[in-house]
Amino acid sequence: MTDGLQFAEIDDIVVHYRVDGPADGPKLVFSNSLGTDFRTWDVVTARLSGRYRILRYDTRGHGLTSCPEGGYAIERLADDLAGVMDAAGFDRATICGLSVGGVTAQQLHKAHPGKVRALILCDTAAKIGDDAMWQARIDNALGPDGIAGMAEAILQRWFSAGFPKTDPVAFAGWRTMLVHTPAAGYAGVSHALKDGDLRGHCARIDVPTLVICGAEDGATTPEMNRELAGAIPDASYLEIPESGHLPCIEQPAALADAIAAFMQEHGGG
């Protein structure tokens, strides 16, 4: 069952989202990474939607969601997620967030703990990068060369070394998604990552948590993800071989199987 593409007005923006799966299925929410939209989850959710009620949405400034000018805050991104959950009738769910989606999921637990049944934190950290790195990203995104000027370096961190050779057509397609991201949206979410720091909250996460990382992730490395898992009480850690920062694209079957196993144990399914 699919409810198709939908839109919801949440505070100052209109959010684009999609709901799939049986109405009475355990609820599972996906939050995507910087420079992508919710299509990155397509293959993963296709494998899961027969059993779970799945919500995907485009982050503020990405995809078909509104793109305000100026810097965003991680608190704002988490409130957006809470709002789209309300619009879709997801009162409490397992939240699977990748990269900035993982930071957003942690902030959702901090600000709206009643909405979080469990967490799947994928290729992320409690604090990603430093001020100088993100300020450079912001300046470059808004500069004359835009995201295209950073694309090759970003893609090297996104994917394993072999992916551009084994599937060059898909690699070109994902590059197109990246460079078509609105510059203001990329810069706005980069600002949220620049200031977002959930390290002080990790010890307070009191729901079942699985941390997953691609073994060749060059953006949020396995070391960073292991550190995150170690900071969260009773969190588990899983590494996916032959994948970079986006296992939802490179190894969707392995990721879907890991999510299904975790959901069966902790997510009501």
Side-chain angles (χ1 to χ4, degrees):
M1 174 184 174
T2 176
D3 293 356
L5 306 183
Q6 299 185 61
F7 297 88
E9 187 174 13
I10 298 170
D11 293 322
D12 61 328
I13 63 171
V14 172
V15 175
H16 174 226
Y17 70 96
R18 176 177 176 134
V19 176
D20 295 284
D24 59 351
K27 294 181 175 65
L28 178 58
V29 177
F30 289 88
S31 184
N32 50 282
S33 60
L34 175 64
T36 71
D37 61 45
F38 71 50
R39 290 174 292 181
T40 56
W41 299 107
D42 278 355
V43 180
V44 172
T45 57
R47 297 178 70 93
L48 298 172
S49 60
R51 180 182 298 179
Y52 304 109
R53 186 69 165 169
I54 294 174
L55 168 64
R56 294 178 284 162
Y57 72 103
D58 288 340
T59 302
R60 175 180 291 252
H62 289 63
L64 299 184
T65 292
S66 304
C67 181
E69 298 288 334
Y72 312 155
I74 200 66
E75 293 84 358
R76 178 66 268 172
L77 299 185
D79 288 347
D80 291 344
L81 173 51
V84 76
M85 288 177 68
D86 288 343
F90 278 57
D91 53 345
R92 190 165 181 256
T94 297
I95 313 298
C96 178
L98 192 154
S99 195
V100 67
V103 184
T104 301
Q106 294 170 67
Q107 177 62 35
L108 183 75
H109 179 272
K110 180 179 180 180
H112 306 276
K115 292 190 172 297
V116 181
R117 179 171 189 153
L119 288 170
I120 302 170
L121 304 176
C122 189
D123 295 81
T124 188
K127 168 65 176 171
I128 301 175
D130 57 28
D131 288 1
M133 183 191 88
W134 289 116
Q135 191 58 54
R137 295 272 194 100
I138 293 165
D139 293 343
N140 288 333
L142 299 176
D145 295 330
I147 297 171
M150 302 185 286
E152 303 316 314
I154 292 170
L155 293 165
Q156 286 180 11
R157 294 187 291 269
W158 272 13
F159 294 111
S160 67
F163 184 69
K165 299 175 184 177
T166 58
D167 201 341
V169 174
F171 181 77
W174 295 118
R175 183 188 187 281
T176 299
M177 174 180 283
L178 170 64
V179 300
H180 282 190
T181 303
Y186 191 97
V189 172
S190 294
H191 191 280
L193 285 167
K194 175 174 172 282
D195 293 342
D197 188 346
L198 274 296
R199 287 175 292 188
H201 183 65
C202 288
R204 300 183 179 92
I205 294 177
D206 56 358
V207 297
T209 301
L210 171 63
V211 179
I212 301 175
C213 186
E216 297 182 47
D217 188 342
T220 52
T221 63
E223 180 182 6
M224 293 168 64
N225 280 265
R226 286 192 293 267
E227 181 179 351
L228 175 63
I232 297 172
D234 301 318
S236 300
Y237 175 73
L238 175 68
E239 205 161 289
I240 296 182
E242 299 180 18
S243 178
H245 188 57
L246 303 176
C248 51
I249 294 173
E250 288 200 72
Q251 299 294 338
L255 181 58
D257 288 348
I259 291 170
F262 179 79
M263 289 289 289
Q264 287 178 343
E265 184 173 359
H266 299 294

